[in-house]
Amino acid sequence: MAKALVLGNSHVAAVKVAYDQNRTLFGDIAFFGATGLDLAFTTVEEGRIVGADRACLDMTILKHFSPEAKVEYLEKYLAQGRPSRAVGEQFQATGGSARIELGDVSAIFYVCGASPYDFARAGEGFAPISSGMRRVLLGESLDKQFLLRNQILALRAQRPGLRHYLVGSPLLARANVKADAVGMAAVRQKRAAIQDLARNYLFDDVFMPDEAVLEPNLVATRAEFFQSGREHALDFQRDAPEARKTDHYHVNGAYGLHVLSTFVAPRM
Amino acid sequence: MAGDNPYDGLPKSAFWKSGVVTESPLSLEGLYEPKFRITQQDRIATAGSCFAQHIARFLKARSFQVMDAEPAPPFLPEGLRQAYGYATYSARYGNIYSSTQLRQLAAEILGEFRPQNFVWRKGAAFVDGLRPAVEPDGFASEDELRVNRAFHLNRVRALFQNMDVFVFTLGLTETWRDRASGTVFPTAPGILGGRFDQAAFEFHNLTYGEVFAAMTDFIRLVSALRQGRPLKIILTVSPVPLTATASGKHVISATAYSKSVLRAVAGDLAAAHDFIDYFPSYEMVTNPAARGQFFTDNLRTVRESGVQAVMAAFLRAHGVETAQPAGLTPPPPDVHGEADFTLDGGASEAQCEDALLEAFGG
């Protein structure tokens, strides 16, 4: 069984593509995905992650997970109270098994749209955030409102040795975000504060995009990492119609390789 | 109109009996006749002492464009926003109690003044002494504080440049300042952070001339920022008495001095400039016809009913409300123990640093 599990929504595709192209460089990793916010419809049973028909959700939780999603899109989850498609089927299609057996897995990497580093997408812009306020915001986004909070807590109870890591998707696909010197000082401070604080919450650590993948403004992701990203995401989740319509933020295998090399591999 | 004496033919508002005694304190006819109308198309900025928070709240509720140059991070819980200085005024400057504090802010934005001794310690944290209440836990470092302040000044600059109407509530003449630089603080060092060092800081009670000069300077500085683009200013005087005075006088005398000076300056500025108007919120709350009913049991905090009465008068005068707002009734004379403003619903707890003085003054 794999030592690491990478689990997420369509953003997993970038990491999966990179892994498939560079398999000899990395250890054994299992990949599973479910589209959009369908991962909420999972539960932990005897140390396994399985699909569920229902989930207790509210708009705040959905918005934290996918801040840029249109309200109408999120409302569908609340109105239907069901995943867009059975999660077991999606696990089967992406990982080859309807349930995720954790076996020897020692670390789970959750790859999805939400990350504390998404401060631009979360509407903070270049406004500085004090460390005190950042603690409040991290507490909200990770400890209280994270979509998979209950599952992670269950896993921590049932598999105490298992480590949990969060890999957020890129901050912004647009390179035209400009900041003056004051804004840049704020961005640097925000990044430093998040780096200091984020691992004190639900996750053992959180991936932070570094200067190698970011524009000089440290907010937008460099354009080269978006080339063909969309196709990869569709390929990985070829049965996910929502992904096709809302696909503006997917990075490519080059970005996935960066995630694998700088964050996943050192923690396996 | 010619008559036997110069009072003949004057409107009833000119006489105490017909203008006050027989009138409802909720709608004193002729007390406020705006010099200019504000509309829902005007971009309005608000600042001042804590009473000004209510003005912003009511204007927002009536769909006026109250500017917010520093909106709260969307994921900051609603209940914490005021505690962090958001959603209170048009920027995160906290309460600006004095005219010299307001002038100083504009001068700092323009680079004409560099405040000193404003980085205060509060345990391990750092407090921005120029807006000490906007970060409940303070900043983690001086650098964090300065980055936040620089951003704040940028936003206030944009606010001052883009506003159409500036509503400012004059609150206090009593100030605390740094002796060497003259830097003015909203609270005495030692209350919300820092330590009161008599060699470094001093009390100063502003005179009429100083308040008038500070306001005139502020207008000049903002005009420079706006490169002459027209601006309308509405001045009010906070009806809230002083919590405590450091003047050595009785707090009643100190309050009378402070409010008199501020009222006189506001009136003179309004008389001197077409673009400045005075809104008599002070008179509406404190006039004898109100019989003190607009104050809560501490005889200081303005009840929500008082705020509603003031703002209803303001809105009516600007053509927004022609009738009493739903649910607004004259305060019954025997009301006691009415709850102060709450965060829920339409009312809101005003954030007043000076209220902390009660903890010190008993």
Side-chain angles (χ1 to χ4, degrees), chain A residues 146-240:
Chain A
F146 190 73
L147 189 80
L148 302 175
R149 175 177 179 271
N150 290 340
Q151 292 87 331
I152 293 173
L153 292 179
L155 285 169
R156 285 202 184 280
Q158 295 177 26
R159 294 280 308 270
L162 197 56
R163 285 164 287 123
H164 303 265
Y165 300 106
L166 177 63
V167 178
S169 62
L171 299 176
L172 281 178
R174 297 188 304 275
N176 61 348
V177 182
K178 289 181 181 168
D180 57 13
V182 171
M184 284 310 301
V187 167
R188 287 194 191 91
Q189 199 167 76
K190 283 146 79 95
R191 288 171 57 85
I194 293 168
Q195 191 158 34
D196 283 349
L197 298 170
R199 64 177 66 89
N200 299 335
Y201 296 86
L202 189 61
F203 294 95
D204 294 281
D205 207 348
V206 177
F207 170 71
M208 176 179 188
D210 63 27
E211 294 180 13
V213 294
L214 295 177
E215 292 285 341
N217 58 34
L218 300 180
V219 171
T221 301
R222 283 162 51 181
E224 66 201 69
F225 292 108
F226 288 97
Q227 290 162 11
S228 306
R230 177 181 171 130
E231 285 75 13
H232 291 153
L234 295 179
D235 185 52
F236 184 64
Q237 293 187 286
R238 57 184 71 84
D239 296 323

Side-chain angles (χ1 to χ4, degrees), chain B residues 255-270:
Chain B
T255 297
Y257 169 82
S258 192
K259 303 300 179 186
S260 304
V261 164
L262 298 175
R263 174 64 185 85
V265 170
D268 283 357
L269 286 169

Side-chain angles (χ1 to χ4, degrees), chain B residues 279-343:
Chain B
F279 171 62
S281 57
Y282 174 79
E283 290 89 323
M284 289 175 185
V285 172
T286 62
N287 79 79
R291 293 178 168 80
Q293 294 166 46
F294 288 141
F295 290 108
T296 62
D297 287 349
N298 67 12
L299 304 180
R300 190 175 169 274
T301 306
V302 180
R303 291 183 193 276
E304 181 63 13
S305 55
V307 177
Q308 283 191 8
V310 167
M311 291 311 299
F314 181 87
L315 293 165
R316 270 199 308 275
H318 285 277
V320 176
E321 292 282 353
T322 52
Q324 208 87 297
L328 176 61
T329 54
D334 58 348
V335 165
H336 292 291
E338 178 181 312
D340 281 357
F341 318 135
T342 61
L343 283 171

Side-chain angles (χ1 to χ4, degrees), chain A residues 63-64 122-123 126-133 136-137 140 180 182 186 189, chain B residues 73-77 80 84 86 92 135 139-140 143-144 147-148 150-151 154:
Chain A
K63 264 292 181 193
H64 271 89
F126 291 100
I129 300 291
S130 69
S131 299
M133 201 190 311
V136 173
L137 293 169
E140 290 293 317
D180 57 13
V182 171
Q189 199 167 76
Chain B
F75 291 127
L76 185 67
L80 289 177
Y84 279 93
Y86 294 108
R92 236 178 132 208
E135 283 286 339
F139 294 99
D143 184 55
E144 187 174 282
V147 167
N148 272 265
F151 181 85
N154 267 3

